[in-house]
Each structure stands twice: as structure tokens, then as C-alpha cells.
């Protein structure tokens, strides 16, 4: 999954220095599984999602097929259950010559070039968010 192989030490530092039972990715369910389960259990148009990192999980949710939690595909499930999404990326889509880290981050240290994978996920998630969902950047 995206993020596991990025350069840098942010996640490794968190795991090494903060107490908690989770020590690696294998100990937690995939984000889309959690999103789909939780959304399917909520009243219609009652959920606000606050995205404070890369948009890959939202992109994967929006492209997800029906499953045991819901007969709806990802876009339809989001349209049915989500009232609003707040994205941490206040200058999106224009960033004054640079890129918003959460919309193109993951570049090598010292690079100003956005990561193609996170930039693509952000574009996908923003572009396919159902029109019924209020979006705030």
C-alpha cells in the first residue's frame, strides 16, 4: 500500500517513540475495509470525513466495489452516507508554485516534485467525490 515504502522516517519514528499496541501495518485492517464497514453502519448523509494526509485511502474507497458491508460501490456509498469532507490542503489546487504536501507529497527529501502516486490519488478523489458531498479545503 502507498506510504509503506516512502522515503523518510515519520511513520517509523511514530511507531518507535509512541506507546501503543500497533507496531506494523499487518496488525490493522486495510483502510477501505474500515471505511466501508463504518460508513455502511451510519445513517444517510451523517458522516463528515476529515482527511489530514494523502488522499490514497479516499481514492481507494471511491473506486471500491460492493462487498459484504454494502451492495453499493464506493462512490454510491459515499454519496449515501457522507455529508462533507474536509481536506487538509488549503491551497489546493493552486499552491503558489509548489505542491500541497497532502496532494502530491511523498517526494524524495529535498525534492519539490510531487509524487505521481499521491498526486494521482488526490486528483482521483477530488474529481470523483460525489457532488452531493460538501467539500472544504
Amino acid at each position: 500500500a502507498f506510504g509503506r515504502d516512502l522515503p523518510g522516517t515519520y511513520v517509523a519514528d511514530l511507531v518507535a517513540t509512541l506507546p501503543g499496541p500497533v507496531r506494523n501495518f499487518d496488525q490493522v485492517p486495510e483502510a477501505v475495509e474500515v471505511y466501508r464497514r463504518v460508513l455502511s453502519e451510519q445513517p444517510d448523509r451523517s458522516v463528515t470525513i476529515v482527511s489530514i494526509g494523502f488522499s490514497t485511502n479516499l481514492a481507494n474507497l471511491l473506486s471500491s466495489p460492493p462487498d459484504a458491508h454494502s451492495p453499493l460501490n464506493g462512490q454510491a456509498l459515499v454519496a449515501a452516507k457522507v455529508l462533507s469532507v474536509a481536506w487538509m490542503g488549503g491551497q489546493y489546487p493552486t499552491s503558489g508554485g509548489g505542491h500541497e504536501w497532502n496532494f502530491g507529497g511523498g517526494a524524495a527529501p529535498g525534492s519539490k516534485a510531487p509524487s505521481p502516486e499521491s498526486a494521482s490519488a488526490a486528483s482521483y478523489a477530488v474529481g470523483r467525490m460525489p457532488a452531493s458531498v460538501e467539500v472544504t479545503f
Side-chain angles (χ1 to χ4, degrees):
F2 180 76
R4 293 180 190 191
D5 300 317
L6 289 177
T9 62
Y10 179 71
V11 173
D13 288 346
L14 289 177
V15 170
T17 59
L18 296 176
V22 176
R23 306 316 291 167
N24 65 57
F25 288 105
D26 295 331
Q27 294 176 282
V28 295
E30 290 290 328
V32 171
E33 162 77 15
V34 174
Y35 264 132
R36 290 190 60 84
R37 178 179 48 80
V38 171
L39 288 175
S40 71
E41 296 169 351
Q42 304 312 306
D44 288 351
R45 306 225 355 105
S46 67
V47 175
T48 295
I49 295 173
V50 178
S51 179
I52 60 169
F54 299 137
S55 298
T56 48
N57 290 332
L58 285 175
N60 291 339
L61 169 62
L62 289 165
S63 67
S64 65
D67 63 6
H69 300 296
S70 174
L72 303 175
N73 68 30
Q75 270 190 300
L77 182 60
V78 169
K81 301 296 183 172
V82 176
L83 176 65
S84 63
V85 173
W87 258 294
M88 189 167 86
Q91 297 176 32
Y92 183 82
T94 60
S95 300
H99 66 274
E100 285 284 350
W101 183 255
N102 291 334
F103 292 96
S111 173
K112 293 191 177 200
S115 160
E117 187 175 357
S118 64
S120 175
S123 178
Y124 185 94
V126 171
R128 288 176 179 74
M129 188 59 60
S132 61
V133 176
E134 179 184 333
V135 174
T136 303
F137 294 104

